[in-house]
Amino acid sequence: DAGITQSPRYKITETGRQVTLMCHQTWSHSYMFWYRQDLGHGLRLIYYSAAADITDKGEVPDGYVVSRSKTENFPLTLESATRSQTSVYFCASMRAYNQPQHFGDGTRLSIL
Amino acid sequence: AQSVTQLGSHVSVSEGALVLLRCNYSSSVPPYLFWYVQYPNQGLQLLLKYTSAATLVKGINGFEAEFKKSETSFHLTKPSAHMSDAAEYFCAVSDRISGGSNYKLTFGKGTLLTVNP
């Protein structure tokens, strides 16, 4: 089925470890986004990408790395996880600036 | 950069009552506006969008929102609440990312709607 999928849905890891969250969309949307959702903060943009090989920082990029070698994939890597990165992470895609974003179901990440 | 304010982090209504969730944005230029709904353990789903075609926008599940430029508001309403409407609702505005030609969504902090039987 067409859509946007995130994996894994749940992840528990330890501080200092590297962890990668995957995001895949089947619409060939140009834009893709990574958000984190925390109580009291709503959704905060981590990184975004306007097209393959074009990425840029959002509101809270520190400690995260992204890449986009293919239009359909937009992985998010925590290079050395910290407890403050415990959160729910959402990936989204968008066809154009005046169109809505479509969200995945999220990855719940716990860092011990 | 734009900002979005949702008045009331928590709204509680009785089943069958009117639902009113408030959203104000900061821009003086009519932007593209959206309402999303999030059910527990799920991603955000689009309820409706305003793209300047009409000031009253109808969405899914009986929700609608009215764009009022003079008040910079985009409040969400539903005439009669149903138990299944219990969820968190987010207002968002399309916002040009500074210094470039790309856009992002700026979200409000959300309003949790509870529906009492």
Side-chain angles (χ1 to χ4, degrees), chain B residues 23 40 48 54 71-72 81 89 93 103 110:
Chain B
C23 172
L48 49 82
E71 298 177 7
T72 60
Y89 293 80
V93 59
Y103 286 77

Side-chain angles (χ1 to χ4, degrees), chain A residues 9-10 31 33 35 37 40-43 45 48 50 90 94 97-106 108, chain B residues 32 34 36 38 41-46 49 51 88 90 94 97 101-110:
Chain A
R9 288 295 315 276
Y10 303 92
Y31 288 89
F33 304 84
Y35 296 90
Q37 186 177 30
H41 291 280
L43 281 153
L45 181 65
Y48 70 95
F90 287 100
M94 181 173 78
Y97 72 93
N98 59 349
Q99 297 298 311
Q101 290 186 13
H102 300 270
F103 285 79
D105 285 334
R108 187 174 295 274
Chain B
Y32 298 102
F34 307 88
Y36 286 86
Q38 185 180 31
N41 296 319
Q42 294 186 25
L44 279 69
Q45 301 173 29
L46 181 69
K49 63 177 182 179
T51 55
E88 191 157 22
F90 292 90
S94 183
I97 298 172
S101 59
N102 294 317
Y103 286 77
K104 66 178 178 70
L105 285 184
T106 296
F107 287 88
K109 292 199 181 326

